[in-house]
Amino acid sequence: MKKTKLVFLYLISSFLWIYISNYVITHYIPSSYDYYVERGKEIFYIFVTGAIFYFLILNKEELNNTKEQEKRLSTLINSMVDFVNFKDGDGRWIQSNEFGLKLFQLENVDYRGKKDSELAQYTDFYAEALQNCEVSDEETWERGTITRCEEVVPLPDGTSKIFDTIKVPLFHEDGSREGLVIIGRDITTLRQTEERLSRSEKLSVVGELSASVAHEIRNPLTSLKGFVQLLQMEDDKHQDYYQIMLDELNRINHIVGELLLLAKPQHLQYSKQAIQKILKDVISLLGVEATLYNVQIESNFPKEDLIIECEPNQLKQLFINLIKNSIEASKNGGTIWISLKQIEDNQVSITVKDNGSGISRERLEKIGEPFYSSKEKGTGLGLTVSFKIVQSHKGTIHFDSEIDLGTTVDIILPIEQNLSIKTTN
């Protein structure tokens, strides 16, 4: 459209020049000078027209070079796995890569020249996140230096990504704002790896501590339990007190047993087992306790047996810990759903879900840590052992919970183990 206007303007200007110049020559220029004036007019017209065409050609080359540079820049930033965004001095988007547009659901939006608050109107899910970006951009401008921080970006599927975000403010020589460069690197996997390493280190420390403490506790514990039982036999008057003492000693003995399980290397003897049978045995074992709490256990298993390589006793301990926690979280009645399915060709997924009291976000972040428990008499070692069992089977375990809505535990285990690895610390 712009080219058509230029051609039309050129034609009109040419006709006006010819008409006006001829009129001037005819009415105001002596006839003796007509030849020279007409030749001068033609030379002038050629000079002006040539200058215009030269300017247009030169401008076109510069425009083509600019477009080529923009294309190269666009190709470069789109090939990056990081979020890259360029903004002008007023915070308006100039250029963003495809990763960033997809992240904020702006793929089909003409984003150029718009601020974050304006782009927030195009995506309900990320509206608040974009508005927060505008606030943090302003803080970067005020500081006048490069800023770096970790930002958590929620995803529509309920998960989130962690970005290491760097913001570089650019200024003109007079100190006014020129632009802002934003680079966000996805470090979600890195943080998850660090968390797993941290958890492994804690398990290792607990194991070393347990090895030095557990045996020292058990010897006097056995003596105390024996003397209490002897007194219980000889004194009928204080039977309630003796029973309380025995219960507490048994609880201490159970804690010591869990400590020893964490402390000593486990020699795993993998065997092929039907995981449905392991789950059914555990459900049958905990059925009476569930009935006492007025809790119903429902299961959904495939008809055909799913055979996996595992250490069955450890898996029983794992499922006992998880299902027992669900029963205790549903003391006033409720339902526990246990499902099993095969995913892909080499993994099985086990889900334990309840509609109990749930777990707060703060507790959820620390779940599985040794000696962290919300129970009045809990030690937190049950879930620590559970994490260790899943880890020894090269699987994963994930907790998802909301207060008063219940908890869901997802466990993924491989069907076949690497038989060259027989032990775990």
Side-chain angles (χ1 to χ4, degrees):
M1 188 66 181
K2 188 175 181 181
K3 293 180 180 179
T4 304
K5 287 182 178 180
L6 288 173
V7 172
F8 182 74
L9 181 62
Y10 171 74
L11 292 174
I12 295 298
S13 301
S14 299
F15 281 121
L16 287 174
W17 168 255
I18 293 171
Y19 176 79
I20 294 173
S21 62
N22 288 338
Y23 180 83
V24 170
I25 291 173
T26 302
H27 292 83
Y28 298 103
I29 302 298
S31 58
S32 58
Y33 293 101
D34 286 353
Y35 175 81
Y36 300 104
V37 174
E38 287 181 357
R39 298 293 82 77
K41 180 189 72 170
E42 293 170 355
I43 293 172
F44 177 77
Y45 182 77
I46 293 172
F47 176 77
V48 172
T49 304
I52 292 173
F53 278 113
Y54 176 77
F55 173 77
L56 291 175
I57 292 172
L58 184 64
N59 190 48
K60 184 179 181 182
E61 289 178 355
E62 292 179 355
L63 183 62
N64 289 337
N65 290 334
T66 302
K67 288 184 177 179
E68 185 65 25
Q69 291 176 358
E70 288 182 356
K71 184 178 179 181
R72 290 176 181 175
L73 176 61
S74 179
T75 302
L76 175 63
I77 66 174
N78 283 330
S79 65
M80 298 177 67
V81 294
D82 303 329
F83 168 50
V84 181
N85 193 1
F86 300 99
K87 297 179 180 178
D88 64 15
D90 294 322
R92 294 184 176 88
W93 287 36
I94 300 174
Q95 183 78 26
S96 178
N97 63 346
E98 293 177 357
F99 179 89
L101 296 177
K102 185 176 181 181
L103 177 66
F104 289 106
Q105 297 180 341
L106 299 173
E107 300 99 316
N108 301 317
V109 176
D110 183 13
Y111 63 88
R112 290 181 175 84
K114 294 182 176 65
K115 294 185 176 182
D116 293 280
S117 56
E118 295 172 329
L119 292 173
Q121 302 174 7
Y122 295 91
T123 168
D124 293 335
F125 187 82
Y126 288 107
E128 184 177 353
L130 286 168
Q131 291 170 353
N132 290 335
C133 287
E134 192 167 303
V135 174
S136 63
D137 289 350
E138 190 63 31
E139 293 175 353
T140 301
W141 285 119
E142 291 177 358
R143 292 180 184 178
T145 58
I146 298 174
T147 61
R148 185 170 186 172
C149 65
E150 289 189 8
E151 296 180 337
V152 179
V153 179
L155 300 179
D157 60 3
T159 60
S160 61
K161 285 184 176 293
I162 304 173
F163 285 89
D164 180 16
T165 304
I166 300 174
K167 297 188 176 184
V168 183
L170 304 175
F171 297 91
H172 293 289
E173 293 183 358
D174 61 359
S176 60
R177 300 177 180 181
E178 180 180 1
L180 187 68
V181 181
I182 303 170
I183 301 175
R185 172 155 294 181
D186 185 357
I187 58 171
T188 307
T189 304
L190 176 63
R191 288 292 175 262
Q192 290 174 345
T193 302
E194 290 177 349
E195 184 179 349
R196 286 195 293 268
L197 287 174
S198 176
R199 191 182 297 275
S200 298
E201 289 175 359
K202 288 178 181 179
L203 287 174
S204 177
V205 171
V206 171
E208 293 175 4
L209 175 65
S210 303
S212 60
V213 173
H215 290 290
E216 298 298 327
I217 294 177
R218 271 215 163 147
N219 290 332
L221 194 64
T222 302
S223 300
L224 286 171
K225 187 175 180 179
F227 282 121
V228 171
Q229 289 174 331
L230 182 61
L231 290 172
Q232 188 179 29
M233 293 172 60
E234 296 179 352
D235 185 2
D236 296 333
K237 184 177 179 181
H238 302 98
Q239 288 296 314
D240 293 340
Y241 297 146
Y242 294 135
Q243 189 58 47
I244 292 173
M245 294 168 68
L246 284 174
D247 290 341
E248 293 303 306
L249 288 171
N250 286 331
R251 192 168 72 88
I252 295 173
N253 191 49
H254 175 71
I255 294 172
V256 172
E258 290 183 325
L259 285 171
L260 287 174
L261 183 61
L262 290 172
K264 61 183 180 181
Q266 301 298 304
H267 296 278
L268 301 182
Q269 298 295 327
Y270 293 119
S271 60
K272 292 186 177 182
Q273 301 284 335
I275 193 166
Q276 285 102 320
K277 184 178 184 306
I278 297 175
L279 286 166
K280 288 177 181 177
D281 290 344
V282 172
I283 293 173
S284 177
L285 179 66
L286 297 176
V288 175
E289 184 173 354
T291 302
L292 291 175
Y293 283 109
N294 192 27
V295 174
Q296 184 178 358
I297 300 178
E298 296 184 0
S299 60
N300 181 19
F301 302 151
K303 294 181 179 179
E304 297 182 0
D305 287 342
L306 291 179
I307 308 299
I308 70 170
E309 289 180 341
C310 64
E311 208 296 320
N313 290 327
Q314 283 204 353
L315 288 191
K316 283 183 180 179
Q317 182 65 48
L318 166 67
F319 297 140
I320 286 173
N321 290 343
L322 297 178
I323 298 174
K324 193 170 183 179
N325 283 344
S326 292
I327 292 174
E328 292 176 356
S330 309
K331 288 184 177 181
N332 296 325
T335 305
I336 299 173
W337 296 272
I338 304 172
S339 62
L340 169 68
K341 63 181 179 180
Q342 182 173 349
I343 54 176
E344 300 179 351
D345 295 329
N346 58 349
Q347 291 179 325
V348 294
S349 172
I350 305 100
T351 301
V352 179
K353 181 179 180 181
D354 65 64
N355 55 2
S357 56
I359 305 172
S360 66
R361 184 178 296 275
E362 293 76 14
R363 286 176 50 205
L364 203 60
E365 293 176 353
K366 296 184 178 181
I367 201 163
E369 292 187 4
F371 308 111
Y372 180 82
S373 175
S374 62
K375 299 177 185 178
E376 183 179 351
K377 296 184 178 182
T379 62
L381 291 176
L383 286 179
T384 304
V385 170
S386 299
F387 274 87
K388 188 176 180 68
I389 292 172
V390 173
Q391 181 185 23
S392 68
H393 282 76
K394 305 172 192 65
T396 60
I397 181 171
H398 175 73
F399 285 76
D400 186 22
S401 184
E402 291 187 32
I403 295 293
D404 297 329
L405 293 179
T407 302
T408 300
V409 186
D410 292 307
I411 304 166
I412 296 177
L413 298 174
I415 291 178
E416 295 183 355
Q417 297 287 336
N418 182 1
L419 297 182
S420 63
I421 302 175
K422 290 290 186 179
T423 62
T424 182
N425 292 326

